[in-house]
Amino acid sequence: MAEDDHAEKALPKPTIVSSHTDASRLETVQGITLQWIDWDTRGDVTIINSVDGVWRLLGEQKSGQDVGLVIDGVITEIGADYFLFDGQITIANTPDPGRRCSQDKLWRFEVTQNRTYYRLREFEWCDYLTDYIDIYFAPSLAGKGE
């Protein structure tokens, strides 16, 4: 296999969008939180729908140097009240100094009970602590699932 062929196969496929409401929610993201840091002061999150049809997600919430949450990857699917994220999530030094959790895999975020955020549906993915990771969207789009 030629090197160019390998690089081409490694490129992400266009994001599958089956819910226009949820696409609109993701286009209006308004921050990210990890409950160990702060629910009232949101971190920055950016979602880019690139020309190749791949939705990319990058976000972080920090409470100091080397303390916080970082999320980086692509959204593979957007459906009614959920999206699938293929990428890395890292939590460092929170809630306790020295704690480090980092995994690169396929994750599911979902809206439940008409909330105004998507919550990561794997709560105890690292060392059995419950980590709530929330990505917020415009409140006017709550409860409008397809």
Side-chain angles (χ1 to χ4, degrees):
M1 177 183 304
E3 195 171 311
D4 288 45
D5 292 340
H6 179 69
E8 186 174 317
K9 291 183 186 228
L11 294 175
K13 295 179 181 175
T15 302
I16 298 167
V17 179
S18 60
S19 168
H20 296 293
T21 296
D22 288 272
S24 294
R25 287 173 173 171
L26 290 169
E27 289 171 337
T28 66
V29 289
Q30 298 181 342
I32 188 168
T33 60
L34 171 65
Q35 93 274 15
W36 307 120
I37 298 173
D38 191 347
W39 268 316
D40 295 324
T41 306
R42 298 175 186 169
D44 295 326
V45 64
T46 302
I47 296 178
I48 299 168
N49 180 359
S50 60
V51 294
D52 59 2
V54 177
W55 292 54
R56 301 177 194 283
L57 187 156
L58 176 62
E60 69 176 18
Q61 184 186 27
K62 301 280 185 160
S63 67
Q65 187 173 2
D66 299 325
V67 178
L69 164 73
V70 176
I71 181 170
D72 187 8
V74 298
I75 297 172
T76 60
E77 183 177 336
I78 301 169
D81 290 332
Y82 77 93
F83 69 89
L84 301 180
F85 168 76
D86 189 2
Q88 186 155 4
I89 296 177
T90 302
I91 298 172
N93 295 309
T94 186
D96 302 307
R99 181 179 190 233
R100 179 160 176 87
C101 300
S102 186
Q103 284 192 27
D104 189 343
K105 64 179 203 167
L106 186 64
W107 308 86
R108 182 181 181 95
F109 284 80
E110 191 172 315
V111 176
T112 60
Q113 302 173 359
N114 293 327
R115 292 183 170 128
T116 58
Y117 54 83
Y118 293 92
R119 175 163 282 170
L120 177 65
R121 300 311 298 169
E122 289 186 55
F123 303 110
E124 298 173 356
W125 59 276
C126 177
D127 66 15
Y128 304 105
L129 283 180
T130 301
D131 296 304
Y132 293 119
I133 298 174
D134 300 329
I135 297 177
Y136 298 81
F137 54 84
S140 62
L141 296 173
K144 296 187 177 194
E146 294 171 39

